[in-house]
Amino acid sequence: MGTQQSPIVSSLPPLPILFSFFFTVYLIAYFLVFRSWSPKIRPEASSCLISLAHGTPAVFFSSFAILSDPTTGFAAPNTRLQNSVLDFSVAYFLMDLLHYLLFFPGDVLFIGHHLATLFVFLTCRYVASRGAFAVLTLLILAEVTSLCQNVWTLANARRRDVEFAAKVYDFLSPPFYVLYSIVRGFVGPYFVYRMCAFYASGAAEGLIPRWVWVSWIVVVMSAISVSIMWISNLWVELYRDRSGKLEKKVT
């Protein structure tokens, strides 16, 4: 007699419910959790909270969805659970896109990033119905730093007026930068290289349309390039800040 699987093994809730979840978390963050924060940073803080609700769970969901599929591969058919995890991330990015369109309509970089990411998830989920292994692995690499990054972002938002936030920011910056640099600067590019080599070899011919996997590669390489520039600038700022503090101590 086979063992009965729990619902989480087969699938997550449907997309509308997942979107409602992130929408509710955002409202709770905006009107309750961060109600005493300045109106200028409340939207960003609320975005961080839904990112926290998405990032780490997405890493675990994606890892489980990949490991539970014995036929995992760059061109393997998506399983039901893998499609559900893709919907989970689609719901989050739709909610965060709505946040940017409402509060930061001029932030073309982040809006473009979210649209491109949604394109990858949606084509993998609803057009190709294959390649979830590649897309979910990239999701893991993107979100494995989410917890640290969001705490760092929240601390950064309040470090000018809250001493504890400044201490958290100073404490987290170096390890966060190191982790982010490793993931986005080395592991991510290596995995994209493997993706590119597999698809360019023709192994996915007739399974995943060429325009789909080419667009995935372009989107991911662009995102990694922007990430590398972003973390490089942060390293420069950290160096200048620490050098300035050292000079003050010496003088």
Side-chain angles (χ1 to χ4, degrees):
M1 181 180 297
T3 57
Q4 186 176 0
Q5 293 181 323
S6 62
I8 188 63
V9 172
S10 59
S11 68
L12 298 174
L15 181 57
I17 294 179
L18 293 171
F19 179 81
S20 298
F21 165 72
F22 287 111
F23 183 71
T24 302
V25 172
Y26 189 91
L27 292 180
I28 292 173
Y30 191 86
F31 291 106
L32 293 177
V33 178
F34 303 113
R35 66 183 182 278
S36 62
W37 288 32
S38 165
K40 292 183 178 180
I41 58 177
R42 278 172 71 190
E44 180 184 10
S46 302
S47 175
C48 283
L49 199 62
I50 61 169
S51 181
L52 284 168
H54 167 260
T56 303
V59 171
F60 286 107
F61 291 153
S62 298
S63 299
F64 185 80
I66 291 171
L67 294 174
S68 63
D69 178 20
T71 63
T72 290
F74 285 109
N78 300 348
T79 65
R80 183 180 177 186
L81 179 56
Q82 289 170 351
N83 281 335
S84 289
V85 177
L86 289 170
D87 282 343
F88 178 72
S89 288
V90 166
Y92 160 71
F93 278 100
L94 282 174
M95 182 60 235
D96 208 42
L97 177 62
L98 180 62
H99 151 79
Y100 275 99
L101 291 174
L102 181 62
F103 291 104
F104 307 103
D107 197 335
V108 179
L109 182 62
F110 266 92
I111 291 174
H113 168 269
H114 281 27
L115 288 172
T117 303
L118 282 168
F119 171 82
V120 172
F121 288 142
L122 291 171
T123 51
C124 178
R125 169 72 168 93
Y126 295 102
V127 177
S129 297
R130 289 175 178 267
F133 164 71
V135 174
L136 293 181
T137 300
L138 291 169
L139 178 61
I140 292 171
L141 295 176
E143 299 297 345
V144 72
T145 58
S146 175
L147 176 60
C148 189
Q149 181 172 352
N150 281 291
V151 174
W152 175 85
T153 301
L154 290 171
N156 185 32
R158 297 301 305 272
R159 67 189 176 105
R160 304 295 182 188
D161 53 300
V162 178
E163 184 180 355
F164 177 72
K167 291 181 179 179
V168 172
Y169 175 83
D170 289 339
F171 175 77
L172 277 182
S173 290
F176 165 56
Y177 294 176
V178 169
L179 177 61
Y180 194 95
S181 298
I182 293 172
V183 173
R184 302 297 179 98
F186 298 96
V187 182
Y190 171 71
F191 186 79
V192 174
Y193 164 75
R194 287 187 55 197
M195 274 182 66
C196 192
F198 176 87
Y199 292 129
S201 71
E205 196 70 30
L207 300 175
I208 300 178
R210 182 173 300 178
W211 68 268
V212 170
W213 67 257
V214 169
S215 64
W216 292 353
I217 297 295
V218 171
V219 167
V220 174
M221 289 183 66
S222 300
I224 288 177
S225 298
V226 172
S227 297
I228 292 174
M229 288 189 292
W230 181 72
I231 196 63
S232 298
N233 289 333
L234 289 178
W235 276 117
V236 171
E237 290 179 10
L238 180 65
Y239 173 77
R240 289 174 178 172
D241 181 58
R242 297 294 167 90
S243 297
K245 289 181 179 179
L246 183 61
E247 288 179 5
K248 288 182 180 179
K249 287 183 179 180
V250 172
T251 56

